[in-house]
Amino acid sequence: MKKYFLLGSFAIITLFLSSCKTSQEVVNKKEPNTEKSSKKNQKFKPYSEVITDEAITDDGLFKTHQIDEEYFYEIPQELLEKDMLWVTRIAQIPNNLGGGYLNAGSKTNQQVVSWERFQDKVLLKVKSYDEVALDESAAINNSVKVNNYEPIMYAFDIKTFNADSTAVVIDVSKFLSSDVPSISGLNSRLRSQYKVRNLDSSRSFINSVKSFPKNIEVKQDFTFNAAQPPSNGSVGSISLQVNQSMILLPENPMQPRLYDPRVGFFTVGQIDYSSKELKADEKRYIRRWRLEPKDPEAYARGELVEPVKPIVYYLDPGTPENLKKYIKQGIEDWQKPFETAGFKNAIIAKDAPSKEEDPEFSPEDIRYSVVRYVASTTRNAVGPSVSDPRSGEIIESDIIWYHNHLRSYRNRYLLETGAANPNARTLDTDSEEIGEMMRQVIAHEVGHALGFPHNMAASYAYDVEDYRNGDFTQKNGIAASLMDYARYNYIAQPGDENIRFVRQMGPYDHYATNWGYRVIPNANTPEAETETLNSWIMEKAGDPKYKFGRQSSRFDPQSQTEAIGNDPIKASTYGIKNLKYVAKNLPQWTSQQTDNYDDLQELYGEMLGVWSRYVGHVVTNVGGVNEDLKKPTQAGTVYSTVDKKTQKESVQWIKENVFDTPEWLIDRNIVKNISPDAYFERLRSVQVRHLNNLLSFDRIGRLINAETTETDYYSALNLMDDVQSAIFTNAKVDVYKRNLQRAYVERLEYLMNEDSRFSNYNKDQSDVQALVRGELKSLQSTLRTKRNRAGNKVNRYHYEDLLARIDLIVNPR
């Protein structure tokens, strides 16, 4: 009863205070709560005994304190239960970790977290916005919460409170120096692959903890004991540096824009249980920066308006002076597409401020996006970004440029354009031309950081013959989008004049930027925007310059990486004709200039890769299916099979350019100066790669599927017959042909016996085994005849070996 009386008295006092309006009285009203908290906190150590005079303190989002090897977070009470984005990246990486698919800067995990007080502990909880009730008033909102209970990543004992109890102090030393799975640099696959046993605590430590106004950055140096490390095997361990970024998310999320697959954007996804649909409604939002016009009225009138907050990229202080101009140009090339979207000066490049200009500037501060120049032998550039999973708002990005990447572009420039482009026939490419290449690569990576994925259909928009037209290429470049993987014009032939060989921004880039970034006045919900967004797509429907092609559509000859032109057969024919010219002159352009064979060896190896890419573009025609993303209101179907004539011509082209030994690739002036052996093995490996690709489960499955939808189709049997004929013709049978014939029999054995669980059909109950068995039986008859007519002992032994192999396949013992 006494407790009840006191609460009642407090309520009366509160009512009295609430009738007074001065700010001082509002402050006084809070004092009893602070005093009460102070009394409650008396069981904890005094602040000064935990955070001693020896502490090195960094003020920011949280105050962080370092005392010897211990680290403490001082978390303001007002930031408890606030959404924060936790991003884990590999900062420094050992050689060959992940087999080349990981690099410094690779993100290993991204999750939303919040710090929450529970009794005498602070819990670090992992939150998810994958499943939500966007209408928080809906009754189902409670069900979403109780059926998506948030896991606790870690629990910390409260060590103390600050003087006025507005912040709680925890020790994060053990947490940040432990192998916590959800923020580890090594996932379960890598641990299994390299047989990782455990974290070696004696060789692991916290490198640094830095606090900035909106984020906290932690670097950890970890060493794991491993039985089979990817490099330095004698050490028996894997060492890497991991960067943990914790970022305060905006209090008010940006209004999302609903994704439409007909326009290419990276996305975030949610399942909305409060939808009025008769199911959980999956929604995808595009990832984009928050651009808002300073003058909304002028913007609505169609005037160019500056954004409230432009996108600014700072150049790494370590960037070579001679390259800064091109990096800045690559960044600001996106100003024109943003003008199409109504924004002026929307994206700006700046030099990083000096210590004197801004002593607090740091590339790790989430407020700054940076083009980082990395001194590394890696040949790559990447454009990662961090986005709010609630809305898709891009918060920050760092473009990463690796020093040796320009060497890749020099080599590709020489190999792919050297026949038609005299300027490319050198190892010392002109600095302005190298700068132009770098400019376009930076612009491409910035495009990723703006939310744009690769658009592999953009290079299919132009006719093959247009690439030989100087006026056309100078105006249009080599693809309708910079976001395609179309690097060089490999189609132009010797004698063609005024040709542009390097990619550039295209019309699709303007179109996609407008679609994703233009503010639609008075559309206050994502759903209110959809009619306008759809109308913009329909205005361009049917025009190949504005088509988006997914990189994942590996069955689609219209959306191929590294391809240019709308006819793979014609484009690859031009490309190989140029490569033959380059191969003949490669020693003159390399070893005869340097007086060593290092560059010749490097470029010869890369030339095989270029040839292989050209071949792969034609292979995709076989069993090819064109994908044209569209809504049901648009005419035509989404998927259409490549016509029979084109498929048959493609197999004939592969016979002539791959299965018939490409002797021009075995130039004695090259191979006898770069390796003592294995010339035949290099060529064999590429030939077999395309043979196996041609006779893949998925490709055969699409050909079988065509029987169900087409009246005149290229069948799986047609492919089997044509490939066998191409490989076992009466042409000269040499070491290369023998290798290929053995590989063919091995591939049929694979199709007969291997598990096809990753294809889209049941192999054992399909036509595949019957077709393979029939082809092997037919081949047996052919081989007996060839064995009896063999002109030399090696070929006779070869045919006998093939017959024995086939017998084991069709009659397993």
Side-chain angles (χ1 to χ4, degrees), residues 290-526:
R290 187 187 296 221
L291 288 184
E292 300 165 330
K294 282 184 179 178
D295 186 342
E297 293 181 359
Y299 186 90
R301 293 194 299 268
E303 299 175 25
L304 285 180
V305 174
E306 290 189 342
V308 173
K309 183 182 179 183
I311 303 164
V312 179
Y313 278 97
Y314 292 89
L315 270 59
D316 190 320
T319 305
E321 288 292 335
N322 63 315
L323 298 177
K324 285 185 175 181
K325 175 177 74 171
Y326 307 111
I327 295 174
K328 289 179 179 179
Q329 288 174 335
I331 295 166
E332 294 188 347
D333 279 345
W334 283 97
Q335 287 189 357
K336 289 296 181 182
F338 275 117
E339 287 179 7
T340 302
F343 290 103
K344 179 171 62 176
N345 298 325
I347 185 167
I348 300 167
K350 292 183 178 181
D351 289 323
S354 65
K355 288 287 185 184
E356 293 73 25
E357 292 170 328
D358 185 355
E360 296 298 318
F361 178 86
S362 170
E364 295 170 340
D365 190 334
I366 201 71
R367 294 175 297 171
Y368 307 116
S369 294
V370 179
V371 179
R372 296 176 181 255
Y373 196 95
V374 180
S376 168
T377 58
T378 299
R379 296 187 185 183
N380 201 7
V382 293
S385 61
V386 174
S387 61
D388 186 341
R390 305 169 303 176
S391 65
E393 178 186 354
I394 297 174
I395 297 168
E396 176 267 355
S397 82
D398 285 345
I399 309 300
I400 302 173
W401 176 277
Y402 298 95
H403 178 72
N404 269 23
H405 198 34
L406 282 177
R407 188 176 183 89
S408 296
Y409 278 83
R410 181 207 67 178
N411 290 358
R412 293 277 297 270
Y413 192 52
L414 185 153
L415 293 169
E416 296 185 29
T417 77
N421 179 12
N423 292 339
R425 300 168 188 169
T426 176
L427 297 174
D428 298 316
T429 312
D430 179 78
S431 60
E432 284 293 323
E433 293 185 51
I434 282 288
E436 176 64 13
M437 296 174 210
M438 185 176 199
R439 171 184 180 174
Q440 301 305 329
V441 181
I442 290 292
H444 177 94
E445 300 305 335
V446 170
H448 286 319
L450 296 174
F452 302 119
H454 291 131
N455 177 7
M456 294 310 184
S459 54
Y460 201 85
Y462 300 151
D463 187 83
V464 168
E465 294 301 327
D466 287 336
Y467 289 88
R468 302 189 60 188
N469 183 316
D471 291 341
F472 180 89
T473 59
Q474 291 297 338
K475 178 182 178 182
N476 299 285
I478 60 175
S481 172
L482 187 68
M483 300 314 297
D484 199 324
Y485 262 175
R487 304 173 204 266
Y488 294 114
N489 180 352
Y490 59 78
I491 289 172
Q493 297 294 295
D496 294 344
E497 297 180 351
N498 191 33
I499 300 295
R500 181 174 176 87
F501 291 98
V502 180
R503 59 184 168 178
Q504 65 183 23
M505 202 79 70
Y508 173 87
D509 301 312
H510 289 256
Y511 160 72
T513 304
N514 181 74
W515 190 91
Y517 279 93
R518 179 171 285 278
V519 176
I520 301 174
N522 303 318
N524 298 320
T525 65

Side-chain angles (χ1 to χ4, degrees), residues 563-632:
I564 58 174
N566 63 354
D567 184 337
I569 293 177
K570 186 184 287 188
S572 291
T573 299
Y574 277 132
I576 288 178
K577 185 177 179 182
N578 283 338
L579 271 187
K580 290 178 179 178
Y581 181 98
V582 170
K584 184 177 180 181
N585 289 280
L586 200 55
Q588 177 187 338
W589 299 344
T590 57
S591 55
Q592 292 178 26
Q593 303 300 316
T594 63
D595 198 29
N596 66 62
Y597 293 111
D598 294 346
D599 288 288
L600 178 63
Q601 181 177 12
E602 180 179 320
L603 282 159
Y604 176 72
E606 291 190 28
M607 184 173 69
L608 288 175
V610 173
W611 171 69
S612 179
R613 281 195 294 272
Y614 296 164
V615 172
H617 299 155
V618 179
V619 171
T620 307
N621 275 339
V622 183
V625 178
N626 297 320
E627 181 180 62
D628 296 291
L629 300 170
K630 56 183 64 180
K631 290 286 185 74

Side-chain angles (χ1 to χ4, degrees), residues 687-756:
Q687 288 178 303
V688 172
R689 180 189 312 156
H690 292 295
L691 169 64
N692 291 346
N693 190 11
L694 197 59
L695 297 179
S696 68
F697 281 120
D698 286 345
R699 196 176 311 279
I700 293 170
R702 290 195 295 275
L703 292 173
I704 294 173
N705 187 67
E707 298 183 31
T708 68
T709 59
E710 310 295 329
T711 54
D712 187 26
Y713 54 86
Y714 188 71
S715 69
L717 178 60
N718 294 149
L719 173 64
M720 294 283 197
D721 285 345
D722 287 348
V723 171
Q724 186 168 123
S725 175
I727 292 176
F728 289 89
T729 57
N730 291 322
K732 179 179 71 172
V733 178
D734 55 12
V735 63
Y736 300 103
K737 185 66 76 173
R738 290 195 295 270
N739 286 343
L740 190 59
Q741 291 176 349
R742 279 188 284 268
Y744 172 78
V745 172
E746 286 183 6
R747 189 61 180 178
L748 292 192
E749 180 183 18
Y750 171 86
L751 293 173
M752 175 75 81
N753 297 324
E754 288 300 313
D755 191 347
S756 65

Side-chain angles (χ1 to χ4, degrees), residues 654-671:
I654 294 164
K655 172 195 177 298
E656 295 169 0
N657 289 277
V658 184
F659 297 157
D660 292 348
T661 306
E663 295 183 359
W664 62 273
L665 282 169
I666 316 157
D667 189 325
R668 287 171 176 78
N669 292 323
I670 298 176
V671 297

